[in-house]
Amino acid sequence: HFLVTQRKFPRMIREFIQNMERVYEESRDENFGVIVMNYASPLINVVTLLRQSKLKHWSVIDFGGPWEKTAAINVGIDSVKNPDDIIFITDLSIHYPAHLIDTIRKHTFKGYSGFAPIVFYYNCLLTLDLHDRQYFVGLYSITGFGLFSMYKSDWIVVGGMDSSQFKGVWGFEDNDLANRVLNSGYVLLRLITRDFYHQNHTYTGF
């Protein structure tokens, strides 16, 4: 399950769904799905977009009120009933290679590990001129743990996200999660994954 939170950014959720469609078409994997924690907006109908998509498995859980990312993620985790399912919390503005599904499966071990693949952040505002060619530059997010997978049964052991300490705020909730995973006796696996990168964006026009 790819689990994302969404609030009032129509283009970003459209691009995420298109990204997931591409992953499905390239991988032909019938066993992955999408869970959207949706802070409803009049700008976009997420259910309609998913119904019109090629994705086989998806669900939308609507929220009202102020944005609560950690609480929404916990509700999404709770919505998965099978303890043997893998839940991957992730972000909208990511380019997902088709091989990521198997990469997650191969590095997420029940009762043993959490997996936080290392994403590359492009900075499209900076370029490097080299040998008459121009390259975008960026960095690997070594200290970030916001993209994270565990089995449902292990999410229960860890306690999900800390929605009390990180209520209504953004930042460092992923580091807190990583610490609690380690303190619960799990191994934390990391891997640089080819073609897995954050797509630089602004919020203007979204």
Side-chain angles (χ1 to χ4, degrees):
H1 305 274
F2 283 66
L3 193 161
V4 295
T5 60
Q6 182 313 112
R7 56 168 183 157
K8 69 180 181 182
F9 299 125
R11 195 166 79 190
M12 293 169 70
I13 187 64
R14 284 193 187 98
E15 290 175 351
F16 170 76
I17 293 171
Q18 291 167 359
N19 228 327
M20 291 292 97
E21 286 184 294
R22 177 185 49 75
V23 169
Y24 171 69
E25 290 181 322
E26 292 178 8
S27 69
R28 307 313 299 176
D29 193 311
E30 300 285 346
N31 297 310
F32 89 95
V34 170
I35 303 172
V36 179
M37 314 311 294
N38 181 46
Y39 282 85
S41 166
L43 300 175
I44 191 76
N45 189 318
V46 177
V47 171
T48 297
L49 288 178
L50 285 165
R51 282 176 178 164
Q52 294 171 347
S53 76
K54 298 174 183 177
L55 297 175
K56 302 296 183 183
H57 307 290
W58 56 267
S59 62
V60 176
I61 301 177
D62 287 325
F63 291 85
W67 184 61
E68 300 281 357
K69 179 181 178 181
T70 52
I73 289 173
N74 286 341
V75 171
I77 292 170
D78 289 343
S79 73
V80 176
K81 303 308 180 186
N82 188 341
D84 294 326
D85 282 0
I86 295 173
I87 302 168
F88 178 56
I89 60 171
T90 188
D91 194 7
L92 294 177
S93 302
I94 303 290
H95 178 272
Y96 300 92
H99 61 78
L100 181 66
I101 298 174
D102 279 342
T103 299
I104 291 171
R105 289 191 184 116
K106 291 174 180 177
H107 293 83
T108 308
F109 297 94
K110 187 175 182 180
Y112 177 75
S113 72
F115 176 49
I118 299 173
V119 66
F120 187 84
Y121 274 75
Y122 275 108
N123 187 337
C124 296
L125 303 179
L126 297 175
T127 58
L128 173 66
D129 293 315
L130 186 65
H131 302 304
D132 298 323
R133 296 187 67 180
Q134 196 172 59
Y135 299 87
F136 290 124
V137 298
L139 52 84
Y140 285 105
S141 181
I142 303 297
T143 59
F145 300 91
L147 312 176
F148 202 97
S149 70
M150 295 188 85
Y151 276 85
K152 167 62 184 284
S153 57
D154 295 327
W155 277 110
I156 293 174
V157 173
V158 171
M161 306 294 290
D162 187 340
S163 58
S164 298
Q165 182 179 357
F166 298 95
K167 182 177 181 180
V169 297
W170 181 89
F172 299 108
E173 73 281 353
D174 56 330
N175 300 93
D176 171 78
L177 171 63
N179 286 332
R180 287 188 294 106
V181 166
L182 293 172
N183 290 335
S184 298
Y186 290 90
V187 171
L188 180 53
L189 300 180
R190 310 223 64 191
L191 182 72
I192 291 175
T193 303
R194 177 172 49 86
D195 292 333
F196 182 53
Y197 56 86
H198 183 275
Q199 301 173 114
N200 184 275
H201 63 79
T202 68
Y203 293 101
T204 303
F206 279 68

XYZ file of all heavy atoms in Angstrom, residues 78-114:
299
model
N -4.325 2.182 10.095
C -5.395 1.413 10.740
C -6.378 0.831 9.731
O -7.013 -0.195 9.991
C -6.155 2.295 11.734
C -5.336 2.615 12.975
O -4.336 1.911 13.223
O -5.683 3.576 13.687
N -6.512 1.477 8.574
C -7.475 1.011 7.569
C -7.037 -0.285 6.896
O -7.846 -0.970 6.271
C -7.709 2.092 6.509
O -6.583 2.218 5.638
N -5.772 -0.621 6.994
C -5.255 -1.862 6.416
C -5.464 -2.978 7.437
O -4.940 -2.918 8.551
C -3.757 -1.729 6.060
C -3.205 -3.049 5.555
C -3.560 -0.623 5.036
N -6.221 -3.980 7.081
C -6.617 -5.010 8.038
C -5.677 -6.216 8.074
O -5.595 -6.908 9.080
C -8.044 -5.482 7.726
C -9.082 -4.366 7.730
C -9.024 -3.554 9.025
C -10.058 -2.428 9.043
N -9.910 -1.558 10.246
N -5.001 -6.491 6.981
C -4.152 -7.679 6.910
C -2.803 -7.392 7.571
O -2.051 -6.540 7.095
C -3.947 -8.091 5.457
C -3.243 -9.438 5.327
O -2.608 -9.918 6.256
N -3.350 -10.049 4.160
N -2.452 -8.102 8.650
C -1.161 -7.838 9.314
C 0.040 -8.186 8.445
O 1.160 -7.758 8.744
C -1.217 -8.740 10.554
C -2.175 -9.835 10.186
C -3.201 -9.176 9.303
N -0.190 -8.944 7.364
C 0.900 -9.341 6.474
C 1.051 -8.411 5.270
O 1.819 -8.715 4.352
C 0.687 -10.777 5.982
C 0.783 -11.792 7.118
O 1.579 -11.565 8.039
O 0.056 -12.787 7.082
N 0.330 -7.299 5.266
C 0.475 -6.308 4.201
C 1.584 -5.320 4.553
O 1.767 -4.964 5.728
C -0.825 -5.538 3.985
C -1.838 -6.333 3.186
O -1.537 -7.482 2.803
O -2.939 -5.806 2.936
N 2.305 -4.857 3.534
C 3.332 -3.826 3.712
C 2.698 -2.464 3.435
O 1.995 -2.280 2.438
C 4.521 -4.052 2.764
C 5.245 -5.365 3.113
C 5.503 -2.882 2.832
C 6.322 -5.746 2.113
N 2.962 -1.514 4.312
C 2.465 -0.149 4.150
C 3.662 0.776 3.975
O 4.561 0.822 4.824
C 1.634 0.295 5.363
C 0.458 -0.666 5.589
C 1.128 1.732 5.167
C -0.232 -0.462 6.926
N 3.652 1.510 2.864
C 4.746 2.427 2.533
C 4.205 3.842 2.577
O 3.433 4.259 1.707
C 5.282 2.094 1.141
C 6.386 2.999 0.653
C 7.550 3.172 1.383
C 6.263 3.653 -0.565
C 8.572 3.994 0.920
C 7.281 4.477 -1.043
C 8.436 4.650 -0.297
N 4.583 4.604 3.608
C 4.148 5.998 3.666
C 5.073 6.813 2.764
O 6.292 6.650 2.778
C 4.122 6.546 5.109
C 5.491 6.483 5.774
C 3.104 5.795 5.934
C 5.547 7.203 7.122
N 4.478 7.688 1.970
C 5.268 8.368 0.952
C 4.717 9.756 0.680
O 3.881 10.270 1.442
C 5.336 7.501 -0.326
O 6.254 8.089 -1.242
C 3.985 7.313 -0.972
N 5.162 10.370 -0.410
C 4.855 11.765 -0.709
C 4.317 11.854 -2.136
O 4.527 10.955 -2.953
C 6.131 12.601 -0.558
C 5.852 14.090 -0.513
O 4.664 14.475 -0.467
O 6.817 14.875 -0.547
N 3.658 12.959 -2.426
C 3.076 13.141 -3.759
C 4.133 13.411 -4.819
O 4.071 12.866 -5.917
C 2.070 14.300 -3.742
C 0.810 14.125 -2.903
C -0.019 15.410 -2.961
C -0.013 12.943 -3.382
N 5.105 14.251 -4.501
C 6.009 14.794 -5.532
C 7.247 13.939 -5.725
O 8.374 14.422 -5.705
C 6.401 16.221 -5.172
O 5.266 17.034 -5.053
N 7.036 12.649 -5.921
C 8.129 11.707 -6.084
C 8.007 11.022 -7.446
O 6.911 10.689 -7.885
C 8.108 10.631 -4.980
C 8.159 11.270 -3.590
C 9.237 9.623 -5.158
C 9.475 11.904 -3.229
N 9.148 10.822 -8.092
C 9.175 9.959 -9.277
C 9.472 8.546 -8.811
O 10.515 8.285 -8.200
C 10.234 10.409 -10.272
C 10.320 9.510 -11.475
N 11.134 8.387 -11.501
C 9.687 9.552 -12.672
C 10.994 7.780 -12.669
N 10.129 8.474 -13.386
N 8.535 7.619 -9.096
C 8.658 6.242 -8.630
C 9.053 5.333 -9.785
O 8.292 5.191 -10.751
C 7.327 5.748 -8.052
C 6.819 6.543 -6.893
C 5.951 7.624 -7.090
C 7.174 6.228 -5.591
C 5.484 8.364 -6.025
C 6.700 6.960 -4.513
C 5.850 8.022 -4.740
O 5.382 8.760 -3.680
N 10.204 4.688 -9.713
C 10.532 3.683 -10.726
C 9.690 2.431 -10.503
O 9.307 2.123 -9.367
C 12.018 3.401 -10.460
C 12.202 3.688 -9.007
C 11.261 4.820 -8.690
N 9.402 1.704 -11.580
C 8.556 0.511 -11.466
C 9.183 -0.536 -10.557
O 8.468 -1.294 -9.888
C 8.294 -0.068 -12.851
N 10.512 -0.579 -10.499
C 11.174 -1.595 -9.687
C 11.107 -1.299 -8.196
O 11.530 -2.129 -7.371
C 12.634 -1.765 -10.108
C 13.474 -0.529 -9.956
N 13.960 -0.113 -8.742
C 13.889 0.388 -10.867
C 14.660 1.004 -8.902
N 14.636 1.326 -10.181
N 10.578 -0.126 -7.817
C 10.531 0.227 -6.405
C 9.662 -0.748 -5.613
O 9.946 -1.031 -4.444
C 10.008 1.657 -6.234
C 9.942 2.151 -4.784
C 11.345 2.270 -4.194
C 9.209 3.482 -4.698
N 8.602 -1.273 -6.222
C 7.709 -2.189 -5.503
C 8.487 -3.405 -5.004
O 8.420 -3.769 -3.822
C 6.540 -2.625 -6.403
C 5.707 -1.410 -6.812
C 5.660 -3.641 -5.683
C 4.627 -1.738 -7.811
N 9.238 -4.033 -5.891
C 10.028 -5.193 -5.484
C 11.149 -4.801 -4.530
O 11.509 -5.565 -3.632
C 10.607 -5.910 -6.709
C 9.596 -6.828 -7.376
O 8.592 -7.178 -6.708
O 9.793 -7.177 -8.544
N 11.706 -3.608 -4.717
C 12.750 -3.137 -3.809
C 12.202 -3.020 -2.387
O 12.861 -3.422 -1.419
C 13.305 -1.776 -4.275
O 13.871 -1.923 -5.582
C 14.376 -1.267 -3.323
N 11.002 -2.489 -2.264
C 10.372 -2.377 -0.938
C 10.140 -3.761 -0.351
O 10.437 -4.020 0.821
C 9.043 -1.596 -1.044
C 9.314 -0.125 -1.377
C 8.243 -1.710 0.248
C 8.077 0.676 -1.707
N 9.608 -4.668 -1.151
C 9.346 -6.031 -0.654
C 10.637 -6.715 -0.191
O 10.642 -7.415 0.824
C 8.696 -6.872 -1.756
C 7.263 -6.491 -2.083
C 6.637 -7.529 -2.971
N 5.278 -7.147 -3.374
C 4.904 -6.908 -4.609
N 5.784 -7.004 -5.598
N 3.660 -6.581 -4.887
N 11.709 -6.530 -0.943
C 12.966 -7.226 -0.637
C 13.695 -6.654 0.573
O 14.610 -7.299 1.109
C 13.887 -7.168 -1.856
C 13.402 -8.010 -3.034
C 14.287 -7.804 -4.265
C 13.803 -8.630 -5.434
N 14.612 -8.383 -6.669
N 13.314 -5.455 1.017
C 14.026 -4.817 2.125
C 13.131 -4.551 3.328
O 13.559 -3.882 4.272
C 14.673 -3.518 1.639
C 15.778 -3.731 0.657
N 15.528 -3.916 -0.683
C 17.121 -3.830 0.820
C 16.685 -4.098 -1.322
N 17.653 -4.048 -0.438
N 11.908 -5.057 3.296
C 10.998 -4.924 4.431
C 10.733 -6.321 4.978
O 10.073 -7.129 4.322
C 9.675 -4.258 4.004
O 9.950 -3.024 3.309
C 8.807 -3.954 5.216
N 11.266 -6.609 6.162
C 11.182 -7.944 6.734
C 10.283 -7.922 7.970
O 10.525 -7.148 8.905
C 12.570 -8.464 7.104
C 13.492 -8.614 5.927
C 14.369 -7.590 5.588
C 13.476 -9.759 5.150
C 15.225 -7.719 4.501
C 14.324 -9.896 4.061
C 15.193 -8.876 3.731
N 9.281 -8.779 7.951
C 8.319 -8.812 9.049
C 9.000 -9.183 10.360
O 9.752 -10.146 10.439
C 7.206 -9.808 8.735
C 6.062 -9.787 9.746
C 4.936 -10.700 9.329
C 3.788 -10.629 10.323
N 2.674 -11.529 9.928
N 8.727 -8.378 11.389
C 9.277 -8.630 12.696
C 10.744 -8.297 12.841
O 11.340 -8.546 13.894
N 11.327 -7.699 11.794
C 12.772 -7.475 11.815
C 13.176 -6.056 11.434
O 14.038 -5.465 12.086
C 13.460 -8.468 10.886
C 14.957 -8.288 10.780
C 15.797 -8.701 11.817
C 15.535 -7.709 9.656
C 17.173 -8.530 11.735
C 16.911 -7.529 9.561
C 17.729 -7.945 10.604
O 19.090 -7.777 10.515
N 12.575 -5.514 10.379
C 13.110 -4.250 9.864
C 12.035 -3.298 9.368
O 10.925 -3.692 8.998
C 14.083 -4.525 8.705
O 13.376 -4.950 7.549
N 12.412 -2.019 9.378
C 11.735 -0.995 8.608
C 12.656 -0.603 7.471
O 13.876 -0.770 7.557
